[in-house]
Amino acid sequence: MSRVYNFSAGPAVLPEEVLKEAAEEMLDYQGSGMSVMEMSHRSKVYDNIIKTAEQDLRDLMQIPDNYKVMFLQGGASQQFAMIPMNLMKNKVADYIVTGQWAKKAWQEASRYGKANKIASSEDKTFSYIPDCSDLPISEDADYVYICENNTIYGTKYKELPNTKGKTLVADVSSCFLSEPVDVSKYGVIYGGVQKNIGPAGVVIVIMREDLITEDVLPGTPTMLKYKTHADADSLYNTPPAYGIYICGKVFQWLKKMGGLEAMKKRNEEKAAILYDYLDSSSLFKGTVVPKDRSLMNVPFVTGDADMDAKFVKEAEAAGFVNLKGHRTVGGMRASIYNAMPKEGVEKLVEFMKKFEEENA
Ligand SMILES: *Cc1c(COP(=O)(O)O)cnc(C)c1O
């Protein structure tokens, strides 16, 4: 067996410890005589798995009691519709468009009401976060929507927008649990777990209780109402049971690593290794305005598509995989999520230096 350094944007690297534990428990989960994949989601043993996972997430993020945690399916993309269907009481919402995912969410919301694009960074290929300190927030907006970390373009909000009292909804798919957050500043925090937490198939939604009501847009399916899932503690129907179990293991790993303060420090150190090199290199350069750089997704280019392709190919042969940039931007992107060890980033930078020398 040999494992590569996997810089995929998602599904992405998971902590090796977690994978090993899951392997050990594959055939017989803690004396139950079966795999977690095979057990009833209504069993006592599974109930303990999902309850523990929720409690560990609450501990890690210090989620206040008036917020519900839901483990859902449908990917982050399904939330693009669920959010307006459930929250657009006035049929008005404001969207800040800082990348492809925010744009898709905005376009989807336009199907249900008036979705205003109140700011965008599309003029410069989404390479920065617009100033959000005094935006024209609509008086009757039901919420203000952001994508907090832009997976494709490598930008991150370092300060939340001033929503002028309106509910903030944030897609945190690619920065979930990468650093501490003040949950009380948000109405909704959600993300697909396949970027920074667990296997594809689980979406975690953290929602302030007063936003969870029966007052949804007419025709909203039962399965797309938050109330359905909140009232049933994510067990209205069969949840993505195995995926939740793995997420639970990652939460325990994060606790063992020292929690989100420790992860933030580790992630800052890791990202600095790569950004410092990019800033000093004469071959590679980062594509994002330095103040808005993501700790999780680091896009970079040489400025020459053939050289980029050569780099990606040679990197892969050396065991650094999935470094090709998103098809809409080109170049390279290194996703360095929580589970990417510091050593992986150090070795990547060593490899880049060697490549730069050889191709000077
Ligand atoms: C990957 C991603 C999505 C889409 O996730 P799916 O689970 O594939 O629907 C949405 N938002 C962000 C920020 C992402 O990184």
Side-chain angles (χ1 to χ4, degrees):
M1 185 203 67
S2 92
R3 286 181 50 85
V4 292
Y5 288 113
N6 180 7
F7 294 93
S8 172
V13 59
L14 288 171
E16 209 165 286
E17 245 177 273
V18 165
L19 297 176
K20 280 185 179 149
E21 257 182 52
E24 278 163 23
E25 292 173 349
M26 183 59 75
L27 297 181
D28 177 6
Y29 176 74
Q30 295 187 358
S32 65
M34 61 179 90
S35 168
V36 174
M37 273 186 238
E38 303 171 297
M39 63 182 54
S40 165
H41 58 294
R42 310 265 175 221
S43 63
K44 214 172 153 193
V45 57
Y46 190 75
D47 200 56
N48 190 43
I49 291 173
I50 191 169
K51 293 261 160 58
T52 305
E54 176 175 340
Q55 190 55 54
D56 285 338
L57 180 64
R58 285 185 173 278
D59 295 346
L60 281 166
M61 294 180 74
Q62 299 178 359
I63 301 175
D65 288 344
N66 63 325
Y67 283 74
K68 283 275 187 190
V69 172
M70 291 170 262
F71 296 100
L72 307 180
Q73 307 192 52
S77 301
Q78 184 163 283
Q79 296 304 310
F80 299 170
M82 270 180 89
I83 285 159
M85 287 173 123
N86 285 265
L87 300 184
M88 262 192 181
K89 321 279 182 197
N90 297 328
K91 297 213 170 198
V92 179
D94 289 347
Y95 279 71
I96 302 173
V97 177
T98 52
Q100 184 180 292
W101 298 118
K103 191 173 180 179
K104 283 191 169 167
W106 165 64
Q107 286 167 336
E108 184 68 12
S110 306
R111 305 180 62 230
Y112 303 99
K114 193 159 171 282
N116 303 307
K117 179 164 65 171
I118 56 166
S120 166
S121 52
E122 195 161 13
D123 60 332
K124 291 184 183 153
T125 334
F126 299 119
S127 58
Y128 69 102
I129 298 289
D131 177 2
C132 297
S133 59
D134 186 20
L135 293 172
I137 308 284
S138 312
E139 219 146 88
D140 50 354
D142 292 301
Y143 59 88
V144 176
Y145 182 101
I146 62 167
C147 177
E148 195 163 331
N149 184 80
N150 296 282
T151 325
I152 296 172
Y153 303 94
T155 57
K156 161 104 201 308
Y157 286 79
K158 300 295 160 81
E159 214 175 298
L160 293 175
N162 175 3
T163 65
K164 302 181 180 172
K166 303 296 181 194
T167 297
L168 179 64
V169 175
D171 174 357
V172 301
S173 295
S174 49
C175 60
F176 225 147
L177 303 178
S178 62
E179 56 183 284
V181 288
D182 181 352
V183 175
S184 70
K185 290 191 171 150
Y186 304 77
V188 185
I189 299 178
Y190 81 89
V193 305
Q194 75 272 25
K195 307 289 161 67
N196 203 24
I197 303 180
V202 182
V203 177
I204 297 175
V205 180
I206 301 164
M207 187 173 282
R208 215 176 55 224
E209 267 168 6
D210 61 282
L211 298 170
I212 306 171
T213 67
E214 278 291 355
D215 178 22
V216 298
L217 297 190
T220 300
T222 306
M223 275 293 287
L224 299 189
K225 290 183 195 173
Y226 292 115
K227 192 156 192 336
T228 302
H229 300 285
D231 286 354
D233 293 326
S234 304
L235 293 169
Y236 170 75
N237 70 325
T238 320
Y242 193 81
I244 294 168
Y245 152 78
I246 299 290
C247 291
K249 288 207 173 297
V250 171
F251 300 154
Q252 297 210 335
W253 176 77
L254 287 168
K255 278 183 146 179
K256 218 164 62 187
M257 297 289 289
L260 301 191
E261 280 293 349
M263 286 323 287
K264 178 177 191 218
K265 188 164 170 280
R266 199 175 110 111
N267 288 329
E268 283 172 346
E269 283 168 13
K270 273 157 48 184
I273 295 168
L274 194 44
Y275 285 124
D276 287 350
Y277 168 63
L278 289 173
D279 289 343
S280 70
S281 170
S282 44
L283 179 64
F284 299 104
K285 70 175 196 330
T287 57
V288 169
V289 170
K291 72 173 180 51
D292 299 327
R293 285 168 165 176
S294 166
L295 293 180
M296 299 280 100
N297 311 99
V298 183
F300 55 95
V301 294
T302 64
D304 169 355
D306 292 337
M307 186 65 85
D308 288 349
K310 183 172 187 244
F311 174 77
V312 169
K313 194 168 161 225
E314 291 183 16
E316 184 171 336
F320 305 100
V321 308
N322 290 318
L323 281 166
K324 195 168 182 302
H326 190 268
R327 59 195 146 75
T328 60
V329 252
M332 281 72 71
R333 172 180 47 172
S335 294
I336 50 174
Y337 295 119
N338 284 347
M340 172 58 65
K342 187 173 169 186
E343 179 202 75
V345 183
E346 286 167 346
K347 290 203 169 152
L348 172 65
V349 167
E350 267 171 50
F351 178 81
M352 289 168 79
K353 283 182 181 162
K354 190 167 132 271
F355 184 89
E356 179 170 354
E357 276 165 31
E358 288 167 3
N359 293 275

